[in-house]
C-alpha cells in the first residue's frame, strides 16, 4: 500500500498493512507526515538537527497511535534538496527515538525525486543531514578499482560492469580471487544484490523468516525476507524460496520492475519494443516487465532475435543489467 502525501510518501508491506488493519480500533485511519518544532528535543538532538527539518510520521486510529507493525515494514521517502557541490552519497537519514537518542539509518538518495528513501519497522521522528565524510568515502571508492579477480580481465565485455558492481558493494566474489562471471545467478544472490542496492538495514529483517528453506544465519536470509516483505521477489510455492535455484531472464525483469515500483524509480523510454521471435514464450506475468526494461535499454535479446525468457542469467549478465538499471534516468 503506497500513500503519497505533500511532505513525503509511505509504502506499507503486505504484513504491515495487515497489522495496521488489525490495530484500527475505530475503523478509520489518519496518516500524517509533517515537520515539527525542535523545541521538544533534548540539547544533543537539537545540536545534531541544526537547521534541518524534523519530520514526524504518525498513524492513528481514533485516539490510538499505531507505531509498530508486528514484523511488517514501511518504506518512507522524505524530501531533501541537494545544495551546490553536495554528493548524493553524503545524504544521511537519522531516527530520533523516544529515549532521546539519535540513530543513523541506511537510506538512499533518489536524484530524480530529490528524496531520501529508507525502510523502517516503526513510525517516529526523522531528519536528514549531509555528511562530507560519507561522501568522501563514496568518492574514494569510486575513484579506482583494484581488480582482485583472476577470472575477470580488462578485455572482457563485462569488465566494467563487474568493476562497477564490486566497487559499489553490490557483488562480492565467489572467493577472494574469483568472480565466476559465467556462473548462473541464483535467487539468494539476486535478493542480496537488490537489498544491497537499496541499502537495506539487514538487522531489521533478521528476526523472522517466511520460508522454511531460508535459515537464520545465512548471509542472504535478511535480504530474502526484505525482498518477500516488499513484494520484490516471491517464493517458489509450498513455503519454499529455493535460494539456490537459478534466476530466469524473465524473472530478473520482474524483480527489477518490482524494485523500481518499490523505490519509486522511473525508467526512461529510449527505444521502441519491437518484440522477439520467442515472444510467445514470455509468461504473461513477466511480459510488461520485459517490455519496459527493453524500452529503457536495460535488457536486450540474444542472437537470432530471441529473448530466451526461461534461460538462466549469469553473474556477469546481472552485473551489466544492474549497472544499466541504476544509471537509467539519471
Amino acid at each position: 500500500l503506497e500513500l503519497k502525501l505533500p511532505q513525503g510518501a509511505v509504502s506499507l508491506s503486505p504484513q504491515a498493512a495487515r497489522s495496521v488493519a488489525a490495530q484500527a480500533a475505530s475503523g478509520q485511519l489518519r496518516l500524517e507526515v509533517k515537520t515539527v518544532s525542535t523545541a521538544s528535543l533534548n540539547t544533543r538532538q537539537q545540536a545534531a538537527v541544526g537547521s534541518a527539518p524534523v519530520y514526524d510520521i504518525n498513524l492513528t486510529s481514533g485516539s490510538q497511535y499505531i507505531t509498530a507493525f508486528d514484523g511488517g515494514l514501511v518504506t518512507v521517502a522524505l524530501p531533501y534538496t541537494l545544495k551546490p557541490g553536495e554528493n548524493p552519497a553524503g545524504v544521511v537519514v537519522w531516527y530520533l527515538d523516544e529515549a532521546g537518542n539519535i540513530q543513523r539509518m541506511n537510506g538512499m538518495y533518489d536524484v530524480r525525486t530529490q528524496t531520501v528513501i529508507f525502510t523502517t519497522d516503526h513510525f517516529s521522528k526523522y531528519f536528514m543531514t549531509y555528511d562530507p565524510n560519507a561522501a568522501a568515502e563514496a568518492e574514494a571508492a569510486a575513484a579506482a578499482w583494484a581488480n582482485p579477480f583472476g577470472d575477470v580481465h580488462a578485455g572482457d565485455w563485462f569488465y566494467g560492469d563487474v568493476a562497477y558492481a564490486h566497487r559499489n558493494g553490490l557483488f562480492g566474489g565467489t572467493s577472494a580471487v574469483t568472480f565466476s562471471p559465467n556462473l548462473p545467478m541464483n535467487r539468494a544472490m539476486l535478493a542480496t544484490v537488490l537489498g544491497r542496492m537499496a541499502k537495506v538495514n539487514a538487522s531489521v529483517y533478521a528476526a523472522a523468516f517466511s520460508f522454511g528453506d531460508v535459515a537464520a544465519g545465512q548471509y542472504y536470509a535478511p535480504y530474502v525476507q526484505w525482498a518477500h516483505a516488499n513484494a520484490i521477489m516471491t517464493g517458489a510455492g509450498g513455503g519454499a524460496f529455493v535460494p539456490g535455484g537459478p534466476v530466469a531472464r524473465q524473472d530478473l525483469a520482474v524483480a527489477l520492475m518490482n524494485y523500481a515500483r518499490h523505490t519509486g524509480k522511473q525508467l526512461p523510454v529510449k527505444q521502441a519494443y519491437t518484440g522477439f521471435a520467442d515472444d510467445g514464450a514470455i509468461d504473461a506475468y513477466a511480459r510488461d516487465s520485459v517490455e519496459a526494461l527493453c524500452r529503457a535499454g536495460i535488457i536486450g535479446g540474444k542472437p537470432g532475435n530471441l529473448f530466451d525468457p526461461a534461460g538462466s542469467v549469469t553473474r556477469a549478465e546481472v552485473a551489466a543489467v544492474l549497472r544499466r538499471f541504476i544509471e537509467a534516468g539519471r
Side-chain angles (χ1 to χ4, degrees), residues 130-163:
Y130 184 75
D131 183 354
N133 291 329
E137 290 173 2
E139 290 172 355
W145 184 57
N147 179 11
F149 304 123
D151 54 359
V152 176
H153 308 289
D156 293 330
W157 69 264
F158 50 75
Y159 181 88
D161 301 314
V162 171

Side-chain angles (χ1 to χ4, degrees), residues 106 119 194-205 222-223 226:
N106 286 329
T119 299
L194 294 178
R196 288 173 178 167
M197 190 163 72
K199 302 187 186 303
V200 167
N201 183 352
S203 63
V204 173
Y205 298 87
Y223 297 107
W226 164 79

